[in-house]
């Protein structure tokens, strides 16, 4: 096999609760991930060396050196296998770059699946998940897909039952936000307010809404502890969130560390209408309807 193509989804966090800062510099999280139908494609081709080329959405903003998480994933997989392998990676971007939807993590997950197939390693998902956890907190979920609660740094995953499909609109902003800077701002705001940070707990009401397929109940339970710091760093997002609510969104939230904003719609038609309304309101660069949950990284 000389080429393998993998499709891998973006995510939205329907709950992101950030606990106290740990000694290792990370936070304990309760992170309810939901994979949605905005996809990157990762193509892995035979090569003597490891390289990456990026095409599509904001391609010029993605590093193509060792800072690229997909290159790190390929090298980590080769090291796990105890061999020296090369691969030419082509990443076709549709997930916003630095947009709070785990695009880099998705590309790393897609690389693990593609190279596992290209190199004929035959490693099970459990092995790929272990490698993924060392690459970043969101990478294991990009492999798993569906809907899942993540604990620890977010990498310890338990799949969740979901009835039917939920319909979303993602309002994509100009430029990105650094995840590290948003977490740092979260810590700064908490320290300035003297906030005593509680141990994060998963919302039982949110789990019921997912299990019942109740979009209205889910919209009321969307929470993200990184929303306040994201708004502090990018004040214009408040107007984006308000515009979505004004046009009937059942829930409005900053996606992950932002600046993409996520809006829960009543159904597919409402999602299309809401996307057009947000584009017309001039509060985002573009607005994309999507649905979830969808499968994780998959060979196509």
């Amino acid at each position: 096999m000389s080429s393998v193509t993998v499709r891998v989804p973006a995510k939205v966090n329907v709950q992101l609760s950030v606990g106290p800062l740990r000694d290792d510099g990370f936070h304990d999280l309760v992170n309810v991930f939901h994979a949605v139908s905005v996809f990157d494609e990762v193509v892995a081709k035979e090569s003597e060396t490891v390289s990456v080329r990026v095409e599509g959405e904001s391609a010029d903003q993605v590093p193509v050196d060792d800072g690229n998480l997909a290159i790190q994933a390929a090298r980590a997989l080769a090291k796990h296998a105890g061999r020296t392998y090369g691969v030419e990676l082509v990443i076709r971007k549709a997930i916003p770059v630095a947009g709070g939807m785990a695009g880099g993590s998705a590309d790393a997950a897609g690389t693990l699946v593609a190279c596992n197939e290209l190199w004929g390693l035959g490693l099970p998902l459990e092995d790929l998940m272990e490698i993924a956890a060392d690459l970043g907190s969101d990478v294991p979920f990009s492999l798993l897909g569906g809907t899942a609660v993540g604990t620890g740094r977010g990498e310890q995953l338990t799949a969740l039952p979901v009835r039917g499909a939920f319909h979303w609109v993602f309002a994509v902003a100009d430029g990105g936000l650094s995840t590290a800077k948003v977490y740092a701002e979260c810590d700064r705001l908490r320290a300035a307010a003297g906030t005593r940070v509680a141990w994060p707990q998963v919302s039982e009401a949110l789990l019921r809404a997912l299990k019942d397929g109740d979009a209205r109940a889910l919209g009321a339970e969307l929470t993200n502890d990184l929303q306040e710091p994201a708004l502090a760093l990018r004040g214009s997002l408040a107007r984006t969130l308000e515009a979505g609510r004004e046009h009937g969104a059942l829930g409005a939230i900053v996606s992950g560390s932002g600046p993409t904003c996520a809006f829960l719609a009543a159904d597919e038609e409402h999602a299309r209408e809401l996307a057009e309304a947000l584009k017309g309101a001039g509060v985002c660069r573009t607005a994309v309807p999507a649905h979830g949950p969808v499968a994780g990284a998959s060979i196509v």
Side-chain angles (χ1 to χ4, degrees):
M1 186 174 296
S2 61
S3 177
V4 177
T5 300
V6 171
R7 190 175 74 162
V8 61
K11 61 83 183 168
V12 61
N13 307 93
V14 292
Q15 178 186 347
L16 178 48
S17 298
V18 180
L21 185 64
R22 307 188 320 196
D23 291 341
D24 64 2
F26 291 99
H27 298 77
D28 278 298
L29 305 176
V30 165
N31 206 342
V32 182
F33 297 101
H34 183 70
V36 294
S37 60
V38 180
F39 299 99
D40 280 359
E41 282 191 350
V42 179
V43 182
K45 303 177 182 180
E46 288 184 343
S47 177
E48 296 297 316
T49 59
V50 177
S51 65
V52 64
R53 186 173 80 252
V54 185
E55 303 173 348
E57 179 76 21
S58 302
D60 60 338
Q61 299 176 29
V62 181
V64 292
D65 56 13
D66 289 351
N68 188 293
L69 203 56
I71 285 184
Q72 296 173 29
R75 290 185 170 145
L77 182 61
K79 182 178 179 181
H80 180 88
R83 296 278 301 277
T84 300
Y85 291 100
V87 63
E88 179 189 352
L89 298 169
V90 180
I91 299 173
R92 299 169 181 154
K93 295 293 298 178
I95 302 172
V97 176
M101 298 184 74
S105 296
D107 298 338
T111 296
L112 291 175
V113 172
C115 289
N116 187 42
E117 182 74 11
L118 181 73
W119 297 338
L121 301 180
L123 295 176
L125 178 62
E126 292 75 15
D127 285 17
L128 298 183
M129 293 284 281
E130 183 178 331
I131 298 166
D134 289 335
L135 291 166
S137 300
D138 291 345
V139 184
F141 177 72
S142 296
L143 284 171
L144 183 67
T147 304
V149 58
T151 55
R153 291 184 288 109
E155 82 286 3
Q156 301 167 26
L157 295 172
T158 303
L160 295 175
V162 175
R163 181 180 178 185
F166 292 97
H167 295 276
W168 299 87
V169 175
F170 295 97
V172 181
D174 282 315
L177 271 176
S178 160
T179 299
K181 288 182 179 178
V182 175
Y183 271 99
E185 182 69 4
C186 179
D187 293 334
R188 189 193 70 78
L189 290 171
R190 286 173 168 180
T195 304
R196 185 177 181 273
V197 183
W199 195 266
Q201 301 290 329
V202 68
S203 164
E204 294 298 327
L206 181 134
L207 297 185
R208 283 195 301 273
L210 289 167
K211 186 175 181 179
D212 294 344
D214 188 335
R216 192 166 295 278
L218 179 61
E221 294 297 325
L222 298 176
T223 57
N224 179 7
D225 285 352
L226 295 182
Q227 179 162 304
E228 182 184 1
L231 289 172
L233 293 171
R234 186 76 69 85
S236 60
L237 298 181
R239 176 63 189 129
T240 307
L241 293 171
E242 184 58 31
R245 297 186 188 104
E246 289 171 356
H247 286 94
L250 303 181
I253 195 169
V254 171
S255 180
S257 57
T260 303
C261 292
F263 302 94
L264 188 59
D267 51 35
E268 185 176 5
E269 182 179 0
H270 181 214
R272 287 196 299 267
E273 293 171 351
L274 181 56
E276 290 305 312
L278 286 166
K279 285 188 281 189
V283 294
C284 55
R285 179 164 58 82
T286 190
V288 181
H291 65 273
V294 298
S298 305
I299 296 172
V300 296

